[in-house]
Amino acid sequence: MDSSLENILQDGKLYRQLNSLIVAHLRHNNLNQAASAVASATMTPLNVEAPANRLLELVAMGLAVEKDEMVRGVPSSLSYDSSTLMPAGCGSIHGSRSATVDFSAVQDTKGSSKSFPKHETRHLSEHKNVARCARFSPDGKYIATGSSDTSIKLFEVSKIKQMMLPDQRDGPVRPVIRTFYDHTQPINDLDFHPESNILISASKDHTIKFFDISKMTAKRAFRVIQDTHNVRSVSFHPSGDFLLAGTDHPIPHLYDINTFQCYLSANVPEIGVGGAINQVRYSATGGMYVTASKDGAIRIWDGINASCVRSIVGAHGTSEATSAIFTKDQRFILSCGKDSTVKLWEVSTGRLVKQYLGAIHTQLRCQAIFNDTEEFILSIDEPNNEIVVWDAVTTEKVARWPSNHIGAPRWLEHSPVEAAFVSCGTDKSIRYWKENL
C-alpha cells in the first residue's frame, strides 16, 4: 500500500477513536447536548462505548510524559499508536531514574532484597516550633516545610547540594530562599502547583493559602480559601485547575481554584464521627484520589464524579490511617497507620498485597513513602528514633538509620526525581538526606 495512503487511513482511524472518546466523555458527564452535537458533526455514534474516564486519563498521561521530558531536557518522544490511542511507551508514568515496579509480577523472594544506598545527611534549618510537614516541587528543585510556629520555609535544592560539598569555599550557603508568614495556626500540609510557581498550605486555622514563590519579597498569601474545618491535607489535581482538601469533615472537599467553588460528593459511604481525613492524594493522572482517615479506613474516590468507589474499612484496624499514596502506575496504594504497619493495597480489588513490619509508630501522624524509583519504602520507628527502609518487593528491612533528630521525626518526604529525601522533627529541625556518590 502507498505509504501516504496508509498514513491517511491511520490518521482517519485515530480521529475516529478520538471523536469516540470525546463523545463518551461528554455523555458520561451528563453533557448530553454537547455529546449529541459532537456526534452529529463527526458522524460518531452517540451511544459509542468507552470507559468513563479514558479521555481524561490519556490526556493527563500525555501531559505528564511531556512535562517529565521537558524537566529532563530531552526532545518530546510522544509518538501515537493509532490502534490504542496511547502515547507509545507510556503505559505508566515513568520516574526520572527507573520504570515503575510491578508489584504483582514479582513474588516475595526472601534473600533477594536490594541494598539501599548509604546516604549522608545535613541539618538545613530550624523552625521556632515543631516541623510538621514537607513537600518537594514536582521538578525536585524546591522543598517547602511547614511548622507549628505557623511559618513556611522554602528551600532551593541546588543551594542545599552546594552547602553539602566537601570543598565548599565560598562562605556560608543559605538554602532557605523564602519564609512565609500568613497563618494563625499550625501548618498541616503543603503542595506545589504542577505548572506554576505557586505553593499552597493547609492549616488548622481552616484556610488554604496560595503563595507566589517567584516573588522574592512576598511574605504573605495572594489568595485564600476559607474552609469550614481544620484543613489537614491538600493535593493539587495534575492539571492544576482543582485541589482537594482533607479536613476534619469525613468527605474530601474539592475546590475549583479559578472560582473557589467547593464540591462535595453526593455518593458517599456511611462514615462515622471518627472519619476525619489525615491525608488526601491524587493519582498521577487525576483519575482517582485516595484518603487515609482517623477511623482506620482507606477510601478510593473517582476523580471525575467524586464518588467513593472503594472503602477499605479497618485497613489499619481501629487505629488511624495516617498516610496513603498511589504508585506511579496507579495500580496500588501504600498506606501507613498507627497500628505500626505499612501496607500495599491493590486498587482494583482492595486486596492486601504486602505488609512491611518492624517499625513502631503509634503516636505521630507518620508517613510511609516510596523512594523515587519505588524500589524501597521508608518510614519511622518512633521508640528507637530511626528511619526504617524496606525492599518494596520482598518486604524485607534493608536499613535502619538513626534519624539524627532529637526525638523521632514526624514527617518524611522523598524527592520525585533523585535519591534524596527530607525529614522534619519534633525537635524543630529539617534534615536533608542524599545518596553518597
Side-chain angles (χ1 to χ4, degrees):
M1 184 185 294
D2 181 79
S3 60
S4 61
L5 177 59
E6 185 175 2
N7 289 338
I8 291 171
L9 292 175
Q10 292 291 340
D11 286 346
K13 185 177 180 181
L14 185 66
Y15 279 115
R16 286 195 298 276
Q17 290 180 303
L18 177 59
N19 292 335
S20 295
L21 288 173
I22 292 171
V23 170
H25 174 78
L26 293 170
R27 195 183 69 242
H28 284 302
N29 285 277
N30 296 317
L31 300 171
N32 296 321
Q33 188 174 353
S36 180
V38 173
S40 176
T42 61
M43 294 182 290
T44 301
L46 184 58
N47 62 348
V48 64
E49 287 300 320
N53 298 335
R54 187 61 171 159
L55 180 62
L56 185 69
E57 289 175 353
L58 290 174
V59 171
M61 284 182 187
L63 291 172
V65 170
E66 182 179 61
K67 181 178 178 182
D68 179 62
E69 291 179 339
M70 289 175 62
V71 168
R72 291 184 286 128
V74 300
S76 178
S77 62
L78 290 182
S79 58
Y80 289 94
D81 177 352
S82 61
S83 66
T84 61
L85 198 61
M86 275 286 287
C90 66
S92 60
I93 306 302
H94 298 324
S96 61
R97 295 199 304 151
S98 173
T100 302
V101 175
D102 184 357
F103 296 99
S104 62
V106 185
Q107 298 298 316
D108 292 355
T109 308
K110 301 298 182 184
S112 63
S113 300
K114 297 178 180 178
S115 296
F116 190 63
K118 291 189 179 299
H119 284 51
E120 59 179 306
T121 182
R122 178 69 64 89
H123 173 273
L124 296 185
S125 184
E126 285 190 4
H127 285 276
K128 294 176 182 176
N129 206 323
V130 174
R132 292 174 56 84
C133 56
R135 203 70 174 264
F136 276 87
S137 61
D139 57 11
K141 293 182 179 179
Y142 301 97
I143 303 165
T145 61
S147 170
S148 292
D149 68 10
T150 76
S151 74
I152 299 164
K153 290 180 182 285
L154 182 69
F155 299 82
E156 189 170 346
V157 172
S158 62
K159 292 190 175 183
I160 296 173
K161 292 177 179 178
Q162 183 183 353
M163 181 179 75
M164 295 179 74
L165 290 174
D167 57 348
Q168 211 292 114
R169 302 191 185 112
D170 298 328
V173 177
R174 294 179 174 82
V176 178
I177 59 172
R178 310 272 192 289
T179 303
F180 301 106
Y181 305 93
D182 208 17
H183 283 285
T184 58
Q185 293 289 321
I187 312 298
N188 289 322
D189 199 10
L190 301 156
D191 199 13
F192 285 88
H193 192 280
E195 301 291 342
S196 305
N197 291 317
I198 295 172
L199 172 70
I200 58 171
S201 54
S203 172
K204 285 188 175 183
D205 62 14
H206 298 195
T207 66
I208 302 165
K209 299 204 172 184
F210 291 65
F211 299 90
D212 186 341
I213 65 172
S214 67
K215 294 183 177 178
M216 298 287 292
T217 58
K219 299 288 186 184
R220 300 197 176 277
F222 68 93
R223 298 184 80 181
V224 179
I225 292 176
Q226 181 69 55
D227 201 276
T228 53
H229 295 76
N230 169 22
V231 187
R232 307 171 68 87
S233 184
V234 283
S235 181
F236 266 120
H237 187 276
S239 69
D241 292 329
F242 301 91
L243 68 83
L244 285 166
T247 73
D248 282 346
H249 188 256
I251 303 171
H253 297 181
L254 174 63
Y255 286 97
D256 182 319
I257 71 163
N258 298 304
T259 65
F260 281 11
Q261 186 171 352
C262 181
Y263 303 89
L264 292 178
S265 174
N267 177 21
V268 297
E270 192 70 32
I271 303 175
V273 293
I277 295 169
N278 279 320
Q279 191 166 76
V280 60
R281 291 292 185 262
Y282 268 111
S283 65
T285 65
M288 295 176 287
Y289 51 94
V290 62
T291 54
S293 298
K294 295 189 78 171
D295 62 6
I298 302 297
R299 296 182 176 91
I300 304 169
W301 306 74
D302 187 299
I304 301 298
N305 59 30
S307 63
C308 183
V309 295
R310 185 175 302 283
S311 293
I312 307 175
V313 178
H316 290 275
T318 57
S319 300
E320 293 183 31
T322 51
S323 73
I325 55 174
F326 285 94
T327 53
K328 295 175 187 176
D329 64 7
Q330 307 176 103
R331 294 173 58 198
F332 302 94
I333 288 169
L334 184 71
S335 72
C336 181
K338 288 188 177 181
D339 59 348
S340 297
T341 66
V342 175
K343 298 181 178 182
L344 190 75
W345 308 89
E346 187 174 51
V347 169
S348 61
T349 64
R351 177 175 63 94
L352 177 62
V353 179
K354 297 179 187 293
Q355 283 196 87
Y356 307 88
L357 304 174
I360 298 173
H361 34 84
T362 60
Q363 301 299 316
L364 302 174
R365 188 161 60 111
C366 184
Q367 312 294 299
I369 59 171
F370 286 106
N371 75 323
D372 60 313
T373 63
E374 295 189 341
E375 296 170 287
F376 300 98
I377 291 166
L378 293 76
S379 194
I380 301 298
D381 185 304
E382 292 172 354
N384 294 307
N385 191 11
E386 291 179 326
I387 296 170
V388 181
V389 185
W390 295 267
D391 183 295
V393 172
T394 69
T395 74
E396 285 189 296
K397 288 195 298 293
V398 293
R400 296 185 73 104
W401 295 341
S403 77
N404 289 283
H405 288 276
I406 300 171
R410 62 177 298 128
W411 195 285
L412 297 177
E413 191 76 13
H414 204 284
S415 168
V417 299
E418 61 184 334
F421 64 93
V422 292
S423 56
C424 299
T426 52
D427 62 355
K428 312 176 187 177
S429 70
I430 313 296
R431 299 195 71 89
Y432 183 82
W433 304 70
K434 76 178 186 70
E435 182 179 331
N436 282 336
L437 300 178

